[in-house]
Amino acid sequence: MYGIDRSRYRCDRCGGLLEVTHEFGDQLYDFRKRGVWKYRYLIHPALPESLTVSRNEGATTMYRSDRVSQYAGISLHLKHDGENPTGSFKDRGMTVAVSEALRLGMKRTVCASTGNTAASAASYSAVAGMECTVYVPAGKVSQSKMAQTLAYGARVVEVDGTFDNALEESLDLVEDGSYTLNSINPWRVEGQKTVLYEILECMSDVDIISVPAGNLGNTSAIGKAIMELDTLGLLKKVPRLVAVQAEGAAPFYRMWVEHSESISRVEPVTVASAIRIGNPVSWKKARRAIEYTSGTVVSVSDEEILEAKRCIDRAGIGCEPASAASVAGIRKMVQEGEISRDERVVAILTGNLLKDPMSPVGNKV
Ligand code: F0G
């Protein structure tokens, strides 16, 4: 035990006491920092501070909206990771991965993307003075994300086919010495763990965390963070992790409900372009995370995604379509009696409203 001044353990945003970690104090926190790097000891303790490539990512807002709660059928908190510097949760992992690239002396970075990883990789690579190449599925990425990526100076390679084909092609450049910034890079995963720490700071007894699932890097990262904190004895309870896929791009959901030992690739079709992925790379880690937390995998239709998005938008909060899947998934579980009314639930919104503004909008709900 250390001499604990509890007032130091208040959440940046909501002021809630950090009950989970207060006994460990300075071993976990770098109190000079805010956001992702506040947790440097849990994600990359060996990185010299001078090599940190950061745009002050993390420390995003946790909202609670009556309108969205009424829609979901349960009191629902929304952790808005679309408030990160490039407008998506990807920045949490990108700051760590690009810092590591700098430490390794890399000059070039590469990734495949449905748009958000591309924009984030382009930004952080530019900050670090590295050349960035991104592979995207031709004609399948929102114009805003393309514009953002090009503005940050990345080279864009359009690939015929899906994200899955783009990822395969991008690996050729990795063999040629470029540093991959996809979530197969373990440092991306380390950074993305921090969303869990922030959620726990506001709600140490959270029961359920729901997340939109595509390539499954984020599901794996949050799962890793839960398993590590649990192993350290720092969790009050293990939150159930819910991964939500779009019906037309749901190979992980199918594997889960069919209890299959492996995943079968699908041809992905969904309005939620960010999660239009048919062959998710991180499915094994994500399955371990779901199993460990006694969580589940849900699939929702495009109509359900867009309806949830309209509600989140009209609540004044807003998000891109893929993000709304996390709320649509919770609503579905509540309707099916899989969540009881007294459970504490957080849905993660992964991307900003302006990321994909051309999807259908309307005034219903
Ligand atoms: N939500 C948004 C807004 C995304 O951009 C992504 C993934 C996800 C959810 C799913 O996360 O892949 O870790 O399961 N976007 C990647 C990209 C694929 O290239 O931007 P995941």
Side-chain angles (χ1 to χ4, degrees), residues 87-90 111-120 135-137 145 163 182-183 188 192 211-221 244-245 273-277 280 282 320-325 348-352 355:
S88 85
F89 74 100
K90 305 287 180 181
C111 68
S113 180
T114 56
N116 282 328
T117 300
S120 185
Y135 287 70
V136 296
K145 295 176 189 175
F163 165 85
N182 277 108
S183 53
R188 276 275 312 279
Q192 285 175 209
V211 65
N215 211 22
L216 295 167
N218 212 23
T219 307
S220 308
V244 187
Q245 294 217 285
S273 61
I275 50 174
R276 199 182 283 146
I277 293 173
S282 301
E320 71 166 284
S323 306
I348 299 179
L349 302 178
T350 43
N352 186 287
K355 281 286 198 171

Side-chain angles (χ1 to χ4, degrees), residues 86-104:
T86 75
S88 85
F89 74 100
K90 305 287 180 181
D91 297 342
R92 289 184 185 273
M94 209 55 76
T95 177
V96 185
V98 173
S99 299
E100 176 64 11
L102 195 64
R103 191 182 74 83
L104 294 171

